[in-house]
Amino acid sequence: MSPRSHPSAVKLRGLYVILDPEISRDRDFASIAREAIAGGARLIQYRDKTREKGEQYAIAGTLQTLCRASGVLFFVNDHVDIALAIDADGVHVGHRDLPVAVVRQIVPETVLVGASTNSVEEARAAVADGADYVSVGRLFPTGSKADTRPATLETLRAVKAAVSVPVCAIGGINESNIEDVIAAGADMAAVISAVVAAEDVREAARRLVGSFSSLR
Amino acid sequence: MSPRSHPSAVKLRGLYVILDPEISRDRDFASIAREAIAGGARLIQYRDKTREKGEQYAIAGTLQTLCRASGVLFFVNDHVDIALAIDADGVHVGHRDLPVAVVRQIVPETVLVGASTNSVEEARAAVADGADYVSVGRLFPTGSKADTRPATLETLRAVKAAVSVPVCAIGGINESNIEDVIAAGADMAAVISAVVAAEDVREAARRLVGSFSSLR
């Protein structure tokens, strides 16, 4: 399969904020999303490994509506059924979720598919299987996800050189290292704690987004 | 919406065995399914709230192949995406999973949809939303599922009288009470521990199946 050329691929750029209830436990998802978008986030992902599907469906529907109204792409992590149910812009799958090729078969062509990778081989395979972007990580130590595999800025550079789709850096990204990942070729930088656990979500997003403009 | 008339609806009869790793922890799902089918089970469901989707996808695919070869219907609990990915005969949703009407929209017409209910109102609503069968329970005390709501044999009788689709009894069903649920109108009896935790799965299934033949 040749790499897809999705009409929304041009939007796969900038700050990518992942909402995970295990990190932002006491806050309302919609408020965090609104503030992150006001701060300049261009992509939002909802990642929930604990709630029942009925509740996730309601939350995801609210977030998709909110993102669409702002021209921001919204992704559901792992749960392809919820993505289908709410007509999400996209779905993101990790290496222990449904395989990319299978996801590609059960979602319409219009749905963006992102895949977690941590090597050139995995990234190439994901693109061949129909991924619209690949994430590379975890780049730096993080407390926000138990099941992660390490990668380096060198991996990120190599993946960027190897694939034609946008590349998203992930794992422990914050103000101290975001310029390094952008310099290494990241089209998107995914952040979790650095934004959703921040005292001022909008300001935290704004400062991270600033790194994209100053380097590009 | 009027009740659906699915070509496989005629198969919604008999012993329905639910494979749940929290009950059959140390046993191989395929072996249990094979033994249960050899004992006369007519429907198999895979319910897994713990494994990652990639692993569930592989297990469900194996079970669907095995069931199809035996003319037994196979259902995936909750995860509509896995059901779609493996082309399952059906999917079963509980009251905290994706709503029946939403599931109906994202699966092909050929996929059977079952819904958990515990009142006539819920059963009628599920059928109106496109359910091909409804389960009624939990009828008896059970240790196999934490999140259940009680129902009685009277509820079962009332649901059977109220809806046109097949009705499945569930919750603590075993040799001591299966004749009561069949007498109350159950087209299917769903069992978990009584079969999957049995020393001899095939024999346990066989004895339960005997109740259907002796009463019908």
Side-chain angles (χ1 to χ4, degrees):
Chain A
M1 196 192 294
S2 61
R4 289 171 16 105
S5 171
H6 192 285
S8 288
V10 66
K11 289 179 155 187
L12 296 167
R13 297 283 182 276
L15 188 68
Y16 189 146
V17 174
I18 300 177
L19 304 177
D20 185 324
E22 292 173 52
I23 315 301
S24 56
R25 207 175 292 273
D26 294 331
R27 294 159 111 167
D28 172 59
F29 296 111
S31 309
I32 300 177
R34 253 185 235 108
E35 287 298 301
I37 293 168
R42 301 307 302 154
L43 310 101
I44 299 282
Q45 181 187 121
Y46 174 46
R47 179 173 86 185
D48 195 330
K49 298 288 189 187
T50 55
R51 281 183 176 73
E52 299 282 348
K53 288 260 177 77
E55 201 182 344
Q56 290 196 39
Y57 164 70
I59 293 168
T62 301
L63 292 172
Q64 177 62 74
T65 302
L66 190 160
C67 287
R68 196 157 281 156
S70 310
V72 165
L73 291 177
F74 177 68
F75 290 78
V76 175
N77 185 287
D78 181 6
H79 301 304
V80 182
D81 43 9
I82 295 176
L84 289 170
I86 62 151
D87 187 23
D89 295 317
V91 62
H92 184 96
V93 286
H95 68 288
R96 299 183 65 184
D97 300 335
L98 286 175
V100 173
V102 170
V103 174
R104 196 68 272 167
Q105 281 168 23
I106 64 175
V107 301
E109 274 294 298
T110 49
V111 174
L112 291 159
V113 176
S116 301
T117 71
N118 85 333
S119 68
V120 167
E121 293 67 32
E122 281 190 13
R124 282 200 175 118
V127 174
D129 286 346
D132 294 291
Y133 76 84
V134 292
S135 66
V136 177
R138 85 182 137 74
L139 294 171
F140 307 103
T142 167
S144 67
K145 204 182 171 194
D147 170 40
T148 54
R149 305 167 299 161
T152 62
L153 287 175
E154 191 43 54
T155 319
L156 177 59
R157 271 183 219 103
V159 168
K160 179 63 188 169
V163 300
S164 56
V165 301
V167 174
C168 180
I170 189 167
I173 295 173
N174 56 40
E175 269 194 73
S176 76
N177 55 34
I178 191 167
E179 300 202 348
D180 296 335
V181 306
I182 297 171
D187 301 288
M188 297 167 273
V191 295
I192 308 152
S193 312
V195 167
V196 307
E199 188 76 10
D200 184 335
V201 167
R202 185 190 303 213
E203 177 62 13
R206 202 189 57 73
R207 290 165 73 107
L208 290 161
V209 166
S211 301
F212 278 93
S213 6
S214 63
L215 284 172
R216 286 288 162 86
Chain B
M1 196 190 295
S2 61
R4 290 171 15 106
S5 171
H6 192 284
S8 290
V10 66
K11 290 180 155 187
L12 295 167
R13 298 281 181 279
L15 189 68
Y16 190 146
V17 174
I18 300 177
L19 304 176
D20 185 324
E22 291 173 53
I23 316 302
S24 56
R25 207 175 291 272
D26 294 332
R27 294 160 111 168
D28 172 58
F29 296 111
S31 309
I32 300 177
R34 252 184 236 107
E35 287 300 300
I37 292 168
R42 302 304 304 152
L43 311 99
I44 300 281
Q45 180 187 121
Y46 174 45
R47 179 173 85 184
D48 195 330
K49 299 287 189 187
T50 55
R51 282 183 175 71
E52 299 282 347
K53 287 256 177 83
E55 201 182 344
Q56 290 197 38
Y57 164 70
I59 293 168
T62 301
L63 292 171
Q64 177 62 74
T65 302
L66 190 159
C67 287
R68 196 156 283 156
S70 309
V72 165
L73 290 177
F74 177 67
F75 290 79
V76 175
N77 184 287
D78 180 7
H79 301 303
V80 182
D81 43 8
I82 295 176
L84 289 170
I86 64 151
D87 187 24
D89 295 317
V91 63
H92 184 94
V93 285
H95 68 289
R96 299 183 65 185
D97 300 334
L98 284 175
V100 174
V102 170
V103 174
R104 198 66 271 167
Q105 281 168 24
I106 63 174
V107 301
E109 274 294 298
T110 47
V111 175
L112 292 158
V113 177
S116 303
T117 71
N118 85 334
S119 69
V120 167
E121 293 69 30
E122 281 190 12
R124 282 199 174 118
V127 174
D129 286 345
D132 295 291
Y133 76 84
V134 293
S135 66
V136 177
R138 74 177 148 77
L139 294 172
F140 307 103
T142 167
S144 67
K145 203 181 173 197
D147 170 41
T148 54
R149 304 168 299 162
T152 63
L153 287 175
E154 193 41 55
T155 318
L156 177 60
R157 269 182 221 106
V159 168
K160 178 64 188 169
V163 300
S164 56
V165 302
V167 173
C168 180
I170 189 168
I173 296 173
N174 55 40
E175 270 193 74
S176 76
N177 56 33
I178 190 165
E179 301 202 347
D180 296 334
V181 307
I182 296 171
D187 301 287
M188 297 167 274
V191 295
I192 308 153
S193 312
V195 167
V196 308
E199 188 77 7
D200 184 335
V201 167
R202 185 190 305 214
E203 176 61 14
R206 202 190 58 74
R207 290 166 74 107
L208 290 162
V209 166
S211 300
F212 277 94
S213 4
S214 64
L215 283 172
R216 287 286 163 87

